Amino acid sequence: MKFIKITKTKAYFSRFQTKFRRRREGKTDYYARKRLILQDKNKYDTPKYRFVVRFSNRKITCQIISSRINGDLVFCAAYSTELPKYGIKLGLTNYAAAYATGLLCARRVLVKLGMDKMFEGVKEPNGEEYHPEELENRRPFKCILDVGLARTTTGAKIFGAMKGACDGGLNIPHSTKRFPGYKEDNYDPQVHRSYIFGQNVADYMTYLQENDEAKYQRQFSRYIKEGIKAEDLEEIYTKAHAAIRADPVHKPKEKDPNLKPKSYKKQRLTLEQRKQRVLDKIEEARKKYQENQDNDDDDNDDDDDNDDDDDN
Amino acid sequence: MPNSKGYRKGTRSKFSRAFREHGPLGLSTYLRTFRMGDYVDIKVNSSIHKGMPHHFYHGRTGKVFDVTPRALGVIVNKRVRNRIIPKRIHVRIEHVQKSKCRDDFLERLHKTSFLKNQAHKLKVELKEAEENKNNEKIEEIKKQQEEMKKSFRALKRLPQQPKSGFLVEVDKTAETPIQTLKPLKFIPHF
């Protein structure tokens, strides 16, 4: 055996200082978090809200969160898995879905605060830069975008969610620099608008239909199954925006009081079960040995003498 | 060679971070709110270089007189020769902790004021009952008052009292239950 010098000695472990748990899990950027949470001390207990956008492989989460020492409080949340209710059944992680989820979250918050009539936002999205205006006696709900660990490139979907929230009436300070359609110091709202209505997806659909039918079938099989064509997408999203504005309130699912949540706990064996398991294993081994012996018997008769040396 | 007068002189251990507590701070330090009049302990966190007070103030407790976006103004007493100066320093939040020095007092204060309130209420009720000549109620209230008086005696904080008397158990079955020890006779061996 090669000689390997152990670097992780007992001393290493006893001196090791672990990073924060969420840093170890790779989920939180504490450098950013500190700066997002920190409220001026001369504002005392005034909560500082962040508009948190997180993408998973299958869904988008938009939440409005304020921080407390005991833990963060989620004031309001919207998930892209709710979009089927508003007519968006597929493509729940694309740019248009991000926009819709952001919009849903924003409208929900405003309804919750009773401010939904005051801050309508942009009813027909056109991709143009929009910041809600202050009213005489009310300022728009302010929150700051919390991107998490996402890479803030131009055209990223996080900003789609943010745009949805801004158009919904929230005041999230931003500039157009990272929106799709920003190119060489010029912002083209039309490009952004096309993304908001899923035209990037639609264009790809038409492109594949013309050039590579097989791939089209594979890539958009579920769209085909639902009967959604490239031309339909814009309408779907327009209708969804309207539906969201009409009824953003979250209705919690009816919980069946008799239904116990599925327990993923690994059930430990009792003593009797363990003993039985041992006996079963012995029995199995014995059977297998017998089989092997029988097979050997059939093959060569000389080995009869060895049968006496049995187990037990 | 005289002592050097560097600002952080003599802070090698005072300002060193604790074992396995290096690196960035947990965020609860940043989420605490302070109000003017709060008592705070100053405990320097040497990983945060901004807003660090002079090492004299490390371990002192003072009262908050000012709250700024990232720091607190604290009044700390400093003895300079023949007088004590109430010094006003501004310290960043990371170097400050809420003091528990007032907690004990405030707890006691709330308790006594609550009981005082109760007693006053009873007094008022008693007066009312006497006016209405409700004898049952009067007796009831007087009983409650007696109970309260008992608890009042326990309110005052007493210094540690001398130990009360106790009985020493003697094993009567032993050969010599009580042994009397006497000094041995002094035999000079010189």
Side-chain angles (χ1 to χ4, degrees), chain B residues 87-104:
Chain B
K87 302 268 276 179
R88 291 173 172 241
I89 52 171
H90 279 87
V91 193
R92 271 208 169 209
I93 320 157
E94 296 93 329
H95 309 293
V96 140
Q97 291 172 355
K98 286 207 186 201
S99 184
K100 294 197 188 142
C101 61
R102 290 282 282 178
D103 285 5
D104 183 47

Side-chain angles (χ1 to χ4, degrees), chain B residues 129-145:
Chain B
E130 276 173 356
E131 279 176 12
N132 299 340
K133 305 240 169 95
N134 187 345
N135 285 332
E136 275 177 18
K137 194 109 199 255
I138 290 174
E139 271 183 46
E140 203 186 294
I141 291 173
K142 285 209 166 145
K143 235 189 249 170
Q144 282 182 336
Q145 282 184 329

